[in-house]
Amino acid sequence: MQMQKQEKQKQRQQNQQKQKQKQRQQHQQKQKQKQRQQKQKQKQRQQKQKQKQKQQKQKQKQKQQHQQKQKQKQRQQKQRQQKQKQKQKQKQRQQKQKQKQKQKQKQKQRQQKQKQKQKQKQKQKQRQQKQKQKQRQQHQQKQKQKQKQQKQKQKQKQQNQQKQKQRQQKQKQKRKWRQQKQKQQKQRKQKQ
């Protein structure tokens, strides 16, 4: 009986031991499960964190790329504007140059016209001088002709006066001769 009791006691202890062992194992199992879950959670958190960091980096990278593109775009815009300005300036310079050339051309034409005008005036002056010269010569010719005619008339007049004088002289001589003759006749008659 005592043996049986001891056996039972032993059996109970063993059962208790087993139970305890089982509980410890379960507890360990739970602990391991818990640790695994925690590790899993930790891993997930880390993964999420990594993912988040990756996304952040990606975003940052995209942002930088966008900024780079914007800067590039601005540089290009600036360059286009600069080129446009340069073109505009070039165009203006060319326009000014053309205007200057036109002005020079006009000035040249004016000078040419002026020279032409001067030549015309000179020619006109020369023609007038020749005309005056001709008129003077004609006048001198007329004067000479007139003087010649005057001299001719004077000569003629003198010749006429001379002839008149000679005629008068002859007349006088004739009268004198007739008177003489008459006187002589009268004297002859008285003598008879």
Side-chain angles (χ1 to χ4, degrees), residues 36-109:
R36 275 200 302 274
Q37 285 176 341
Q38 280 182 344
K39 275 187 179 180
Q40 189 68 27
K41 278 183 180 179
Q42 183 70 21
K43 198 178 178 183
Q44 282 176 347
R45 273 199 301 275
Q46 283 177 347
Q47 285 219 344
K48 274 187 180 179
Q49 191 67 26
K50 279 184 179 179
Q51 187 69 24
K52 203 177 177 181
Q53 284 177 346
K54 198 178 177 182
Q55 285 176 344
Q56 285 287 342
K57 278 186 179 180
Q58 190 68 27
K59 277 186 180 179
Q60 189 65 28
K61 196 179 177 182
Q62 285 176 344
K63 197 179 177 181
Q64 283 178 344
Q65 282 178 341
H66 181 70
Q67 285 176 343
Q68 284 293 325
K69 277 185 180 179
Q70 282 297 104
K71 281 183 178 179
Q72 184 68 23
K73 211 175 175 182
Q74 284 175 346
R75 275 199 298 274
Q76 286 174 344
Q77 187 70 21
K78 213 174 180 180
Q79 281 178 345
R80 277 199 296 274
Q81 284 176 345
Q82 283 290 332
K83 276 186 179 179
Q84 194 65 29
K85 276 185 181 178
Q86 285 293 324
K87 271 190 177 180
Q88 197 65 28
K89 279 185 179 179
Q90 185 67 24
K91 205 177 177 182
Q92 284 176 346
R93 277 198 296 273
Q94 285 174 346
Q95 285 286 339
K96 277 186 179 179
Q97 197 65 29
K98 277 185 181 178
Q99 198 66 29
K100 215 176 175 181
Q101 285 292 324
K102 276 187 180 178
Q103 287 293 326
K104 273 189 178 180
Q105 196 65 29
K106 280 185 180 178
Q107 185 67 24
K108 204 177 177 182
Q109 285 176 346

